């Protein structure tokens, strides 16, 4: 089976078994769009496919340079950077060409962290639950919740979004 043909947890499990992998790579997306990842042992991966996994929520408390945000209210020293629940999206399976037969899967957050998960926000746009403009507002609201000052004001981001959406 080709990695891009994986549609279900059963497909993912079958491909890992067929390749004889001892571990796989998984990743989640932080607020800056950077994929933060780790390796999971085969058995832990199989369990995560069914029951989900945990990932430290510090990724919602630091920037792309791994510098902690000063005024984050969602996570920080005051919360001890706990783990957040996430699930693996089997359809995100891809080969990692530089690592032999290695496979990579994207995860997305659940629970309270889902509100901050960029992948969840994009899914809502694709599923036409919200418009791109509403997503920009939600992103700014998420940053405000974290106590983070955005690089651009909401008005500038809305203008940029409107310009970009004309090219659809």
């Amino acid at each position: 089976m080709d990695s891009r043909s994986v549609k279900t947890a059963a497909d993912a499990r079958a491909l890992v078994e067929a390749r004889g992998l001892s571990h796989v790579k998984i990743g989640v997306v932080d607020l800056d769009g950077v994929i933060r990842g780790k390796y999971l042992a085969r058995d832990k991966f199989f369990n995560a496919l069914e029951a989900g996994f945990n990932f430290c929520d510090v990724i919602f408390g630091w920037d792309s340079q791994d510098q902690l945000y000063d005024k984050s209210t969602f996570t920080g020293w005051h919360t001890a950077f706990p783990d957040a629940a996430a699930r693996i999206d089997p359809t995100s399976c891809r080969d990692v060409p530089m690592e032999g037969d290695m496979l990579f899967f994207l995860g997305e957050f659940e629970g309270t962290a889902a509100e901050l998960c960029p992948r969840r926000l994009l899914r809502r746009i694709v599923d036409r639950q919200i418009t791109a403009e509403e997503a920009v507002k939600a992103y700014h609201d998420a940053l405000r919740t974290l106590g983070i000052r955005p690089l651009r004001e909401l008005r500038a981001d809305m203008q940029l979004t409107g310009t970009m959406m004309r090219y659809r």
Side-chain angles (χ1 to χ4, degrees), residues 22-35:
S22 63
H23 57 281
V24 298
K25 284 180 121 169
I26 62 165
V28 292
V29 182
D30 72 10
L31 289 176
D32 293 317
V34 176
I35 296 175

Side-chain angles (χ1 to χ4, degrees), residues 28-36 58-66 69 109 116-119 139:
V28 292
V29 182
D30 72 10
L31 289 176
D32 293 317
V34 176
I35 296 175
R36 305 291 185 152
V58 72
I59 70 167
F60 296 123
W62 65 19
D63 64 17
S64 61
Q65 309 254 314
D66 297 344
Y69 296 126
F109 287 97
L116 301 174
C117 180
R119 195 157 192 272
Y139 175 72

Side-chain angles (χ1 to χ4, degrees), residues 98-156:
M98 307 299 248
E99 296 185 43
D101 284 337
M102 181 56 61
L103 294 172
F104 172 80
F105 293 84
L106 277 171
E108 51 188 43
F109 287 97
E110 297 184 314
T112 56
E115 293 299 315
L116 301 174
C117 180
R119 195 157 192 272
R120 290 277 185 148
L121 189 58
L122 288 173
R123 181 178 307 283
R124 292 176 63 204
I125 296 169
V126 170
D127 291 345
R128 299 194 185 282
Q129 295 173 357
I130 61 173
T131 66
E133 290 80 9
E134 291 169 324
V136 170
K137 289 178 185 174
Y139 175 72
H140 275 261
D141 286 345
L143 292 177
R144 191 171 23 272
T145 298
L146 291 169
I148 301 167
R149 185 170 175 250
L151 295 176
R152 290 179 299 273
E153 295 298 321
L154 176 60
R155 187 180 75 247

